[in-house]
Amino acid sequence: MKRFFSALLLFSLLFYVFSHPSDAFVAAQSGLHLWFDTLIPTLLPTMIFSNLLVQLDLVTCLVRFFAPVTARLLHLSTYGTYALLIGFLCGFPMGAKTISDLERNGQLSRQEASYLLPFVNNVSPMFLMNIVVFQTLKDGSYLMPTLLIVYGAPIIYGILTNQSYRRTVSSVDTVYKKQASKIQVRFELIDACIMNAVFTILKLGSYVILFSILSRLIQSFPTANIFLQSFFVSSMELTNGIAFIGTQSFPFTQKYFFLCMICVWGGFCALAQTQSVLSSSSLSIGAYLKARIMICLIACLLTCCFLF
């Protein structure tokens, strides 16, 4: 059945590209602009610097002030603290990529990586503030409630699952396969970090283009239920979904609810990007998906409490 639906989806996309070439071109162009204008300037430098920090074992220096707090509150290691900060500050899928890199290098245990992955892979604060609050809602008074909902939901999930995680570990000290060594910056290392980041950003851009076309395909379906269409469009790709919701004449409460939910969910494009960066690790995308659904339910309750 899964194979059938995958084939049907791919056939539909291919048929749409050939039957509506101008619309498909506009959608691909929109995805390309999003990749070139947003993802490359924001994520590529972060990926390169993060790779260098991990490879040079400089993470300890960066998070030395936060690690004691997170160790006491969440029982995290130093590298777990670094993944937590990156995931909440840098946006999809940097949290997942950082965890995958650290787990693969042996700097993060599988138990800690599995615990962190569901709730540290989030939309970036700059995107949330600029695109959602100031450009779409056009009301700065919703800044703090939106931040509390979008980031409060994963934090609550992390707190609720922390006791289960603590039972799987006895200490915050991780046994590293790769021990700290003398810092030595070599051009070979820089080249490797750059190539890793460029390869990753190319894959992410390809996903954005594909899901932009898929989002355009859904918008082309004639339907009398704009609410249902908005749900499917916003579920595909975050930026296109926000733009589509922003143009609809929903009551403000419905529009705000939609925006908060898709920012917490991230879209299937973010899910595919996460799967892509996890491909070289032992972490489960299925467990991640179940956890994100739980986080969305928590965000739903928070949003309802704020609106009603």
Side-chain angles (χ1 to χ4, degrees), residues 122 145-157 160 256-266 291-308:
N122 300 296
T146 305
L147 290 172
L148 291 175
I149 291 169
V150 173
Y151 297 118
I155 290 173
I156 291 173
Y157 176 87
L160 292 176
Y256 185 76
F257 182 85
F258 255 129
L259 291 173
C260 288
M261 290 304 101
I262 62 177
C263 285
V264 173
W265 167 238
R292 292 308 299 188
I293 293 174
M294 291 297 299
I295 293 172
C296 286
L297 292 176
I298 295 172
C300 177
L301 293 175
L302 294 177
T303 308
C304 291
C305 289
F306 170 69
L307 291 175
F308 308 108

Side-chain angles (χ1 to χ4, degrees), residues 8-302:
L8 180 63
L9 177 61
L10 291 174
F11 177 78
S12 300
L13 281 172
L14 188 62
F15 179 79
Y16 176 73
V17 168
F18 283 109
S19 61
H20 298 78
S22 59
D23 287 346
F25 175 81
V26 171
Q29 191 176 51
S30 173
L32 184 61
H33 280 303
L34 173 61
W35 174 68
F36 188 79
D37 296 335
T38 304
L39 289 186
I40 289 181
T42 56
L43 289 186
L44 184 59
T46 306
M47 288 180 184
I48 295 173
F49 293 140
S50 181
N51 287 340
L52 285 170
L53 285 170
V54 171
Q55 294 300 323
L56 293 172
D57 203 25
L58 293 173
V59 171
T60 304
C61 301
L62 184 66
V63 301
R64 66 173 61 182
F65 299 109
F66 301 99
V69 178
T70 57
R72 180 177 294 273
L73 295 179
L74 297 176
H75 208 63
L76 298 182
S77 66
T78 299
Y79 284 94
T81 302
Y82 175 70
L84 181 74
L85 293 176
I86 290 292
F88 273 92
L89 295 177
C90 297
F92 295 111
M94 273 305 298
K97 184 181 186 305
T98 302
I99 290 173
S100 176
D101 291 342
L102 293 172
E103 193 259 352
R104 187 176 62 252
N105 289 346
Q107 296 162 313
L108 203 64
S109 69
R110 191 179 191 282
Q111 292 87 350
E112 189 172 7
S114 299
Y115 164 66
L116 284 170
L117 177 63
F119 73 94
V120 305
N121 198 36
N122 300 296
V123 65
S124 72
M126 293 304 296
F127 179 91
L128 192 63
M129 290 187 288
N130 292 328
I131 303 299
V132 177
V133 177
F134 296 123
Q135 292 188 25
T136 305
L137 294 176
K138 295 181 174 63
D139 190 343
S141 64
Y142 283 90
L143 176 59
M144 190 55 63
T146 305
L147 290 172
L148 291 175
I149 291 169
V150 173
Y151 297 118
I155 290 173
I156 291 173
Y157 176 87
I159 294 173
L160 292 176
T161 57
N162 189 253
Q163 286 302 317
S164 177
Y165 158 66
R166 284 174 184 263
R167 287 194 292 268
T168 66
V169 293
S170 58
S171 172
V172 296
D173 295 323
T174 304
V175 179
Y176 302 129
K177 297 176 187 175
K178 178 181 178 181
Q179 299 295 332
S181 59
K182 182 179 178 180
I183 296 173
Q184 184 179 5
V185 180
R186 305 184 309 274
F187 283 112
E188 293 86 353
L189 176 61
I190 296 175
D191 286 345
C193 291
I194 290 175
M195 288 305 298
N196 177 275
V198 169
F199 180 70
T200 303
I201 203 72
L202 282 173
K203 287 199 297 182
L204 300 188
S206 299
Y207 279 117
V208 169
I209 292 172
L210 287 175
F211 277 91
S212 294
I213 296 174
L214 182 58
S215 177
R216 188 85 172 192
L217 170 63
I218 295 173
Q219 294 179 48
S220 68
F221 289 154
T223 178
N225 193 332
I226 191 63
F227 187 87
L228 188 62
Q229 186 183 41
S230 299
F231 171 79
F232 283 112
V233 171
S234 60
S235 296
M236 291 298 109
E237 198 277 321
L238 184 59
T239 306
N240 287 314
I242 290 172
F244 185 79
I245 295 298
T247 61
Q248 304 306 309
S249 57
F250 293 141
F252 184 83
T253 54
Q254 291 185 12
K255 182 178 292 188
Y256 185 76
F257 182 85
F258 255 129
L259 291 173
C260 288
M261 290 304 101
I262 62 177
C263 285
V264 173
W265 167 238
F268 283 102
C269 182
L271 181 65
Q273 292 173 343
T274 300
Q275 166 63 32
S276 174
V277 298
L278 293 180
S279 59
S280 59
S281 73
S282 60
L283 300 174
S284 169
I285 190 65
Y288 170 81
L289 176 58
K290 293 176 184 178
R292 292 308 299 188
I293 293 174
M294 291 297 299
I295 293 172
C296 286
L297 292 176
I298 295 172
C300 177
L301 293 175
L302 294 177

